[in-house]
Amino acid sequence: MKIVVVGGVAGGMSTAARLRRLNEDAEIIVLEAGPEVSFANCGLPYYVSGEITDQAALLVQTPKSLKESLNLDARINTTVLSLDPAAKKVTAEGPQGEYELEYDELVLSPGADAFRPAIEGIDSKRVSTLRTVADALTIDEMAKTATSAAVIGAGFIGLEAAEALRMRGLETTVVEFADHVLPPLDEETAYYVTDELRRLGIDVRTSTSVVEIEQGDDADTAVLSDGSRLEADIIVLSAGVRPRTARWEKAGVEVERGAIVVDEFGRTNVDNVWAMGDAATSVDLVTGIRRPVALAGPANRAGRLVADAISGNMSHAVPKTIGTSIVRVGELTAAMTGANQRTLESEGIAHHTISLHPLNHAGYFPGASMIHLRVHFGEDRKVLGAQAAGKGGVDKRIDVLATAIKAGMTVDDLIDLDLAYSPPYGSAKDPVNMAGMMAANVLDGTMPIWHTKDLDKMREERLILDVRSAGEYARGHVPGALNIPHTQLRDRLDEVREAADGRAIAVHCMSGMRSYLAHRQLAQAGFDSANHTGGLMTMVAELGDRAREVIVQ
Ligand SMILES: Cc1cc2nc3c(=O)[nH]c(=O)nc-3n(C[C@H](O)[C@H](O)[C@H](O)COP(=O)(O)OP(=O)(O)OC[C@H]3O[C@@H](n4cnc5c(N)ncnc54)[C@H](O)[C@@H]3O)c2cc1C
C-alpha cells in the first residue's frame, strides 16, 4: 500500500507515524511545503519570549530521525500543487523539480493560513505572522532592537505573542476588532484577562481595528479605526486563520464553511482521500455545528484514528470536539471548554449559567487564590460549557469539566466526583463539586438566581438587598440597595419586609456566597427571593469599564 500524506506537522505526522506502527510494509511518503517537519508550532511564542532558548528544541523530529525511527519518506520544501482523484495521483514540486506521485490513500492535513486583512501597508517588512519557525526567528531578531510592538488580534496566539513581546521589554499594544479579548470567552472571563494584560503594562484596544499601516523609515504606524495612531517597530498579525482548501476543492473535494468536509472517520467525499486538522470540519459535541477547530489536540488525535481507519480498523470514530483551550497571560491562566454563552444563545439552546469564585485550594493553606469559574448547563441538567480564569488550578478544573462534558455528565455527577484533595491542592469540596452543588440548587429551586444583565429589571421590580458589611457597602454599591449584613439578617427581617413593601427581593454580595446564605433565610421566612450569581465581582467583570457608572459610593 502506498500512502501519501500532505502536511508534515500535527495531523499529518501523527497519521504517518501511526500508519507505520500498524504496517511495516506500507510505503509512506510525507510531503511538507515548509523547511521543517513535526515542529512545535505551539512552542513558538515561548521562543519569542525567551523561555525556550534552544531553537533546536522546536524541532521535534527531522526527516532523518523519521527515516531512522519510522522508515518514513518525509520530503521537506515540497508543495503539492494539484490532485487528480481519477488517476489517484498528486503533482508535487520539490527541490528536484515537479513530479507526479501515485497513491492508494491520500491524507490531507495542510493546516491553515493566517488571515491577512486587506489593509494598505500590510506587506511591510515589520509585519509578521507567528505560524512558523521562520516567523518566530524573524520576530525574535526584530525584538532585539525594537522598543514597541503592536499585535493585531487578541485571540490565543495574539495574546501569547503580546505577552512574549512584553516580556522582552517592548511597549506592547493589542488591537482587537471584537468587544473583548479572547472572543471565544464570555465577557466575564475575558475581563480578568484584560485586567492582567493591563497589569503587565500591555495596552488593550478592543472594538477597534487597524485600517492602515503607514511604513516609515524608523518604525511603522498602525492607523486605528478610532483615528488613533500607534507607532510600532514590530507588528504581529494574528487575526485568525483560514483553512487551506483551494487546491483540494478544485479537485472535487467538498468544502463547507471554508473547511474540508469529513465524516466520522476522516473520509472526504472523494474515494481514498482523507483529511483532518485545521483544514477539516469537525462536529461540535454540544451544539452539533460542523465547523473547523484550529487546535493541536484534535488534529493529533484525529491523525491517529484516521491511520487506524486507513488500516481497516473502523472501531473508533474521530470524536466530536468541544474546543477545550487554555492560555497563560502573565500570572493568570484562562481556559474554556464546551459551548460559550454566545453560541448557546445563537443556537437557541436553553441553558442556565452560574458564576462562582472559589479558592484554588484550602484558604488556610498559604498561597490560595481565586478561580473565577462560569458553568453553563441545560434544563436536562447536562453540563454544556465552562470557563475559568485564575492564578492557580484553572487547568485542572477545566480539564475535569471537559471530561464531564465529553462523558455527558449532569451537574449532579459533578457533585459526586471524587477528586484528589489535600490543602495545597484543593478543598474538601472542590470548585468543580461546588459548581455542581450550585447548579443543582438552581435547577431544584433551592437557589433561584439573577444575572447582571437583569439589574435594571431587578431595580424596577424588586428590593435590592446587599448583605455585605457596612464598610464594603460604603466603598461601592448599587444605588437604592438596602444594606443589611448577612450576619444581622435574622434579627432584621422586619426591616426587609418594610423596605420591600410587597416586592420580591434581589439579594447580592461580593461573590454570591453570603447572599446565598441570606437568600435561604429569606426564602424560609416566606420572601420571594433570588440570588445574584457571582455577585458584585461578576457584575464588575461583566460590565467592565461601565461598572463605574452602575456601582456608586
Ligand atoms: C504559534 C501557534 C501556537 C499554537 N498554540 C497552540 C496551543 O497552545 N494549543 C493548541 O491546541 N493549538 C495551538 N496551535 C494550533 C495548532 O498548532 C494547530 O491547530 C495544529 O498544528 C493543526 O495541525 P494541522 O496538521 O492541521 O496543521 P499544521 O500543524 O499547521 O500542519 C500543516 C502543514 O501542512 C503544510 N502544507 C500545507 N499545504 C501544503 C501543500 N499543498 N503541500 C505540502 N505541504 C503543505 C504546511 O506547510 C504545514 O506545515 C498553535 C498554532 C500556532 C501557529
Side-chain angles (χ1 to χ4, degrees):
M1 179 158 55
K2 183 171 177 179
I3 302 150
V4 173
V5 179
V6 183
V9 191
M13 203 46 85
S14 294
T15 315
R18 174 74 170 170
L19 279 165
R20 173 59 73 226
R21 292 194 293 270
L22 296 175
N23 187 344
E24 245 329 284
D25 301 324
E27 187 184 354
I28 305 169
I29 303 168
V30 181
L31 304 174
E32 168 52 54
E36 297 102 7
V37 279
S38 222
F39 68 94
N41 30 21
C42 307
L44 299 177
Y46 306 101
Y47 183 77
V48 174
S49 71
E51 290 163 279
I52 297 174
T53 50
D54 180 7
Q55 190 191 325
L58 297 172
L59 306 178
V60 183
Q61 296 283 353
T62 62
K64 186 167 174 285
S65 68
L66 289 166
K67 182 72 189 165
E68 286 166 0
S69 67
L70 290 161
N71 189 24
L72 297 178
D73 178 359
R75 304 179 189 177
I76 54 173
N77 298 313
T78 302
T79 303
V80 175
L81 302 174
S82 62
L83 160 65
D84 179 350
K88 290 180 76 173
K89 62 182 185 192
V90 294
T91 303
E93 187 177 30
Q96 70 274 49
E98 206 172 294
Y99 58 97
E100 289 183 343
L101 208 52
E102 292 184 346
Y103 62 81
D104 296 313
E105 306 292 341
L106 177 69
V107 177
L108 305 177
S109 194
D113 281 315
F115 172 60
R116 295 184 76 84
I119 305 171
E120 205 182 317
I122 193 108
D123 55 351
S124 164
K125 63 180 189 318
R126 294 193 184 90
V127 176
S128 177
T129 55
L130 180 51
R131 299 208 54 81
T132 62
V133 174
D135 289 342
L137 296 179
T138 301
I139 296 171
D140 174 54
E141 202 48 45
M142 288 196 286
K144 286 177 184 161
T145 51
T147 58
S148 61
V151 176
I152 305 178
F156 288 89
I157 297 172
L159 291 195
E160 287 174 350
E163 185 205 41
L165 292 166
R166 186 70 193 128
M167 282 171 81
R168 298 277 296 259
L170 276 68
E171 289 301 322
T172 304
T173 304
V174 183
V175 183
E176 169 57 52
F177 177 71
D179 61 2
H180 61 73
V181 300
L182 294 174
L185 292 184
D186 293 345
E187 217 158 18
E188 177 184 358
T189 318
Y191 167 84
Y192 303 109
V193 180
T194 302
D195 211 36
E196 180 64 5
L197 287 165
R198 287 181 176 156
R199 193 192 66 80
L200 293 173
I202 295 173
D203 185 3
V204 181
R205 311 278 186 96
T206 50
S207 303
T208 307
S209 50
V210 175
V211 292
E212 191 187 339
I213 294 166
E214 291 174 2
Q215 301 182 31
D217 292 338
D218 299 327
D220 284 357
T221 302
V223 183
L224 308 188
S225 52
D226 61 6
S228 59
R229 299 164 66 78
L230 275 181
E231 214 173 74
D233 300 319
I234 304 175
I235 299 175
V236 177
L237 178 61
S238 188
V241 295
R242 297 290 179 269
R244 294 187 177 110
T245 56
R247 287 188 171 92
W248 326 113
E249 194 172 13
K250 217 162 142 190
V253 175
E254 188 188 351
V255 167
E256 183 189 278
R257 288 188 186 213
I260 299 170
V261 178
V262 290
D263 71 4
E264 70 272 33
F265 292 103
R267 285 178 292 212
T268 70
N269 62 315
V270 174
D271 286 347
N272 310 102
V273 179
W274 312 69
M276 75 206 59
D278 289 4
T281 55
S282 65
V283 177
D284 186 89
L285 180 71
V286 176
T287 62
I289 299 172
R290 204 158 65 170
R291 42 81 179 114
V293 170
L295 288 169
N300 276 277
R301 293 191 300 272
R304 181 178 195 274
L305 294 169
V306 166
D308 285 1
I310 290 173
S311 308
N313 175 5
M314 298 269 207
S315 63
H316 190 157
V318 178
K320 294 177 180 173
T321 49
I322 50 174
T324 308
S325 29
I326 190 161
V327 66
R328 183 197 72 187
V329 178
E331 292 179 3
L332 193 87
T333 301
M336 65 172 291
T337 183
N340 61 19
Q341 182 104 46
R342 195 177 53 243
T343 307
L344 290 168
E345 280 167 8
S346 64
E347 292 304 303
I349 298 172
H351 65 281
H352 300 272
T353 302
I354 49 166
S355 296
L356 60 161
H357 309 276
L359 294 174
N360 64 329
H361 60 60
Y364 57 79
F365 187 82
S369 59
M370 240 178 233
I371 298 179
H372 306 288
L373 179 61
R374 277 168 80 80
V375 179
H376 305 295
F377 51 97
E379 278 296 333
D380 62 359
R381 310 182 82 86
K382 286 230 172 109
V383 185
L384 301 173
Q387 317 199 338
K391 286 185 177 178
V394 165
D395 52 347
K396 164 162 114 167
R397 275 52 185 229
I398 287 299
D399 278 348
V400 170
L401 288 159
T403 310
I405 296 172
K406 168 74 183 148
M409 284 186 190
T410 63
V411 297
D412 312 288
D413 294 321
L414 298 186
I415 302 175
D416 296 343
L417 287 176
D418 197 352
L419 301 171
Y421 160 62
S422 81
Y425 298 103
S427 297
K429 283 182 193 147
D430 188 85
V432 174
N433 300 135
M434 293 290 290
M437 291 171 199
M438 270 175 72
N441 280 344
V442 171
L443 288 169
D444 68 17
T446 306
M447 187 183 70
I449 52 173
W450 61 281
H451 296 271
T452 303
K453 65 176 167 42
D454 307 323
L455 181 62
D456 289 344
K457 194 166 181 289
M458 291 293 136
R459 291 182 66 194
E460 264 171 50
E461 298 174 2
R462 293 182 177 230
L463 170 71
I464 307 274
L465 177 62
D466 186 331
V467 296
R468 295 173 301 153
S469 68
E472 287 174 280
Y473 180 84
R475 284 194 289 277
H477 58 266
V478 170
L482 174 68
N483 178 223
I484 300 180
H486 80 291
T487 48
Q488 300 171 15
L489 189 60
R490 275 188 187 86
D491 300 327
R492 295 174 63 183
L493 285 173
D494 286 344
E495 274 178 61
V496 178
R497 200 164 281 117
E498 196 180 319
D501 194 20
R503 290 174 296 164
I505 316 294
V507 62
H508 77 170
C509 68
M510 196 61 187
S511 70
M513 187 58 214
R514 284 171 285 175
S515 52
Y516 166 54
L517 303 179
H519 159 76
R520 289 305 304 153
Q521 287 178 41
L522 292 165
Q524 290 176 72
F527 288 92
D528 176 359
S529 144
N531 184 20
H532 182 194
T533 188
L536 279 152
M537 229 184 301
T538 291
M539 184 180 285
V540 167
E542 287 181 330
L543 296 177
D545 295 337
R546 283 172 293 143
R548 272 183 240 113
E549 296 156 26
V550 177
I551 300 167
V552 298
Q553 288 193 331

